[in-house]
DNA sequence: GAACAACTGTGTCCATCAGACACTGTGTAT
DNA sequence: ATACACAGTGTCTGATGGACACAGTTGTTC
């Protein structure tokens, strides 16, 4: 559980700056095969099933062989992410920043739906690979014609991405927050039992609505951004 | 690393439904002392330093003694959360839903600042204890006089909470996104080296701004909610 | 008061994890 | 031909969460 967390080494790995050796036996595989195998395990059995042992077994090699390609497990995770994120969407064919951002959110959500373990580990300070980096680049393009400052554009796309991330679990099939998962029904019973202490929560029966939690939040965020944009746009 | 994840058992623990035994030796301590010790470790050395061994040592007992009070580590985490979350804010003295939500966001942010490990583990489907449950109850009170539906109110407060959670790390002292952490400067160098592939990101020099990332997002969210609220409010 | 049953904390054991290190074998450069 | 750099393997360590048997303690029941 050490996970060296050496961002410089991770960067060299992800951006192809590792020097290829000239002498010695040919490697039996490469780092992308490791990444693919690990992604396969994570997709099938969850991220917690991904161990050096398990991934090595998937490739038919011993655990320690992986350490020739990857310094530690943190690097394994890094290449997994880079392998699992798909191609960033091209938003140039869409008119208007709002439609672009909506499409971006949809694409992001779809990518994460294919790899449910992805959103949780892509949070926080981290070195991204080139494929992943293309995503925020794409998102920024949506706001290019906007009067927002560079800083605000960055904040705006993080706001959208973080919202999709947070609502990801609740947005999976047709489930909704407070009604999905196995903890939710128990939580509901507890609230009803303690309705005197938590009247607002207890009476919130998760009324079915036309929009999902994810849609509601995205809509609100975009409305808020629109407000900021029109405010900065000189009228006339 | 099993973590039984039995939400029913967790609920019994957190809501005080565990039957107290009548016979046998008196317990040397109780579950709240375990929780406090674990919180102390997490605050000082991070969540990853919290192991059964470590917490038991803190109390001067063996690891296995803890299992008399807690079924597994998942329950340890659960009582840690309940012990660490402070008292939910009372928003009744504040006028207007927007000011109330702003205060709520501030309080939430402050609570998490005292326990930086808290936001990451409080995400997702989970059984909450009574102290923690008081928080969303408090947040809902901010929107009570609002024309939003129950569902929308829930979605709204989750939107705010999730935003605070996501921007928490970046909001710590005076740091900003893309400039905090040890990965950020490396990421920056990579972007400059590959400015042709990522022109928008590369030229985004994280221009200093008056507002923080957290403030910008919260402002946008509240603007969006205001839009939804005024839209539903019959004019005249 | 004695016997019993419930309960306590302890000691021992196991599987699994990430990772260090020594080793044998292999291919290339000299 | 020989030396060297590299490959994958086997073995070991320390930490993890947790199962289980055990001896000691205490309230309940006779």
């Amino acid at each position: 559980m050490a996970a060296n967390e050496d961002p410089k080494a991770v960067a060299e790995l992800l951006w192809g700056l590792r020097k290829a050796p000239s002498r010695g036996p040919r490697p039996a595989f490469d780092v992308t095969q490791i990444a693919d195998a690990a992604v396969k395990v994570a997709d099938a059995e969850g991220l917690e099933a991904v161990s050096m042992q398990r991934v090595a077994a998937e490739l038919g090699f011993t655990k320690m062989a992986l350490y020739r390609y990857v310094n530690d497990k943190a690097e394994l995770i890094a290449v997994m992410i880079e392998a699992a994120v798909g191609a960033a969407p091209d938003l140039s064919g869409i008119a208007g920043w709002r439609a672009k951002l909506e499409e971006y959110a949809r694409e992001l959500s779809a990518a994460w739906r294919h790899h449910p373990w992805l959103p949780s580990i892509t949070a926080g300070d981290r070195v991204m690979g080139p494929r992943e980096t293309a995503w925020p680049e794409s998102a920024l393009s949506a706001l290019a014609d906007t009067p927002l400052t560079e800083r605000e554009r960055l904040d705006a796309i993080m706001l959208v991405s973080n919202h999709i991330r947070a609502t990801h679990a609740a947005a999976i099939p047709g489930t909704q927050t407070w009604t999905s998962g196995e903890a939710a029904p128990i939580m509901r019973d507890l609230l009803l039992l303690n309705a005197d202490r938590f009247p607002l929560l207890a009476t919130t029966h998760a009324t079915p609505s036309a929009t999902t939690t994810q849609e509601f939040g995205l809509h609100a965020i975009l409305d808020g951004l629109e407000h900021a944009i029109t405010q900065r746009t000189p009228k006339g």
Side-chain angles (χ1 to χ4, degrees), chain A residues 121-204:
Chain A
I121 46 167
T122 49
D125 185 56
R126 202 167 39 81
V127 170
M128 296 187 292
R131 278 160 58 91
E132 190 187 1
T133 304
W135 281 81
E137 178 75 12
S138 164
L140 277 182
S141 76
L143 297 171
D145 297 331
T146 277
L148 296 178
T149 67
E150 292 175 339
R151 211 15 231 293
E152 287 171 330
R153 288 179 211 172
L154 216 46
D155 290 347
I157 68 167
M158 292 302 287
L159 184 56
V160 171
S161 303
N162 287 333
H163 170 65
I164 303 298
R165 189 198 316 281
T167 55
H168 172 76
I172 293 282
T175 61
Q176 314 254 13
T177 323
W178 294 90
T179 60
S180 67
E182 48 178 348
I186 292 159
M187 202 62 230
R188 205 116 93 119
D189 291 346
L190 286 170
L191 288 176
L192 292 179
L193 275 172
N194 297 274
D196 52 330
R197 296 166 66 188
F198 310 104
L200 300 176
L201 274 172
T203 59
T204 300

Side-chain angles (χ1 to χ4, degrees), chain A residues 102-114:
Chain A
E102 277 172 349
E103 172 63 13
Y104 180 78
R106 251 191 305 275
E107 294 269 359
L108 191 60
S109 202
W112 282 343
R113 202 172 307 122
H114 295 140

